[in-house]
Structure formats: C-alpha cells, structure tokens
C-alpha cells in the first residue's frame, strides 16, 4: 500500500470530512443527510493521510445482509485519482468481509461510468444484468449495470 495513506474504519466524527469529500469529488453528491445515514447504518472505511488521520482522501460504504454485501459508494478525492486508492479500498472491503463469511459481493454502476466499470472488472466483478433507464442524467436516463463477485469464504 502507498505509505502516504492508510485505511481505517470510518467513525461518526468523520461526517464533516466525508461531506466535504462528497461535495467536491462526487459527480452525484449525496449530501450531508445521506452521508450521516451511511455512517450510522452501513459499513464504512476511509483512506486517510498516515500522518493526519482526519484528512480523508477516499471513502467506501457498503451494506451487509448475512453472506452478501453490496457496495453503495466508493469515492476518491479527484486530486489523487489513478494512484490505486480505490482498488486498495475495494480490495479491503472484499478481504475484510470475506474473512467474516461473506461470499457474494454486489454492486450497480451507471453504464457511462467507465472508470468505475474498469475498476470493478479489474477486481474480478462480472456483469450479470442491467436495469434499463434506471438513473437520471442531465439529458435523460441511463441504465445501471449490475455486477457480482462470488468468492469462496475464507479467502485472503
Ligand atoms: C471510480 C473511482 C472510485 C476510481 O478511483 P481511483 O482511485 O482513481 O482508481 P484506481 O487508481 O484504484 O484505479 C484502479 C483501476 O481502475 C481503472 N480506472 C480507474 N479510473 C479510471 C479512468 N478514469 N479511466 C479508465 N480506467 C480507470 C483502471 O483499470 C485502474 O487501473 P490502472 O490505473 O492500473 O489502469 C474514482 O474515479 C471516483 O471516485 N469517481 C467518482 C465516484 C464514482 O463514480 N464511484 C463509483 C460508483 S459507486
């Protein structure tokens, strides 16, 4: 891992840092209420500066139900993209939950979001379906691509 940054679980007091990350780097910002809700009810990890744990450069939030987990958002500060940060964070989610018995990982992504699609495919996710016209865009609607990764329990 890049030694400038470390991964840690998010805590409630990260809400302002995550709200700022969401506001400045998320092309479809969630806003404070959804960020706070995610911190309260989901699993959350952040990538932060090793020397300053309050400086957050990336966030991953996911839900879990028994042996399945669904990625809700992975978001990297637009100033530090293409350094492998999202890949490390998503791999951390997979490894952490797989050790706890999660075997199936799910996500959906806008079909226009090629950066995310390339990221997920590089990590082994497979396209299993589409929800047509699922997302609103500035000019109309676009489909959601549904991806899964099934992994033997206890991997990593
Ligand atoms: C998608 C996103 C999380 C990627 O973060 P990142 O830290 O820049 O990604 P990484 O550096 O870990 O990239 C890993 C791999 O993903 C693919 N990838 C990432 N960004 C890419 C881009 N802009 N174009 C093409 N491929 C890309 C590449 O295969 C890359 O490997 P490489 O750099 O060795 O070629 C980031 O662009 C982002 O935060 N986007 C806005 C939020 C979002 O759309 N999240 C996903 C939907 S939930």
């Amino acid at each position: 891992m890049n030694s400038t940054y470390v991964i840690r679980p998010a805590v409630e007091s990260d809400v302002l840092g995550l709200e700022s990350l969401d506001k400045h780097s998320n092309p479809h910002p969630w806003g404070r209420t959804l960020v706070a809700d995610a911190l309260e009810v989901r699993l959350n990890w952040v990538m932060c500066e090793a020397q300053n744990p309050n400086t957050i450069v990336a966030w991953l939030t996911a839900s879990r139900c028994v042996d399945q987990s669904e990625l809700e958002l992975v978001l990297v500060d637009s100033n530090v993209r293409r350094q492998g940060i999202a890949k490390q964070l998503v791999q951390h989610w997979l490894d952490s939950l797989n050790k706890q018995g999660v075997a199936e990982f799910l996500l959906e992504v806008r079909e226009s979001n090629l950066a995310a699609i390339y990221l997920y495919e590089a990590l082994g996710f497979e396209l299993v379906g589409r929800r047509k016209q699922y997302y609103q865009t500035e000019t109309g609607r676009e489909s959601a691509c549904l991806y899964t990764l099934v992994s033997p329990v206890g991997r990593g």
Side-chain angles (χ1 to χ4, degrees):
M1 180 186 295
N2 183 338
S3 59
T4 309
Y5 303 116
V6 291
I7 295 172
R8 64 168 173 79
V11 292
E12 255 178 63
S13 57
D14 288 322
V15 67
L16 289 181
L18 292 179
E19 187 190 1
S20 171
L21 178 70
D22 172 60
K23 188 173 175 186
H24 295 111
S25 293
N26 193 347
H28 305 281
W30 282 19
R32 186 172 192 174
T33 304
L34 288 182
V35 171
D37 284 353
L39 277 175
E40 201 177 316
V41 301
R42 299 221 186 88
L43 302 164
N44 295 273
W45 290 272
V46 293
M47 183 85 85
C48 61
E49 288 185 0
Q51 301 302 324
N52 183 0
N54 289 324
T55 302
I56 294 169
V57 297
W59 174 37
L60 183 151
T61 184
S63 56
R64 177 181 178 178
C65 185
V66 195
D67 62 352
Q68 292 181 316
S69 182
E70 178 164 4
L71 182 68
E72 307 291 343
L73 179 67
V74 56
L75 175 62
V76 175
D77 187 320
S78 36
N79 297 312
V80 294
R81 288 185 184 162
R82 294 312 290 270
Q83 296 180 32
I85 288 176
K87 202 169 183 179
Q88 289 170 38
L89 208 44
V90 174
Q91 192 65 59
H92 186 82
W93 164 57
L94 298 174
D95 292 344
S96 302
L97 289 192
N98 189 250
K99 280 180 196 156
Q100 295 174 34
V102 173
E104 190 176 2
F105 297 88
L106 316 166
L107 63 87
E108 65 184 41
V109 57
R110 289 172 183 261
E111 64 181 348
S112 64
N113 192 348
L114 294 181
I117 286 173
Y118 292 145
L119 164 72
Y120 302 141
E121 291 186 348
L123 285 160
F125 279 85
E126 290 182 7
L127 181 66
V128 292
R130 282 175 198 272
R131 284 199 181 115
K132 289 181 187 161
Q133 312 280 300
Y134 186 69
Y135 291 112
Q136 186 80 49
T137 67
E138 281 175 10
T139 52
R141 302 197 70 83
E142 68 173 318
S143 300
C145 298
L146 309 177
Y147 278 86
T148 66
L149 187 153
V150 179
S151 152
V153 170
R155 188 175 64 95

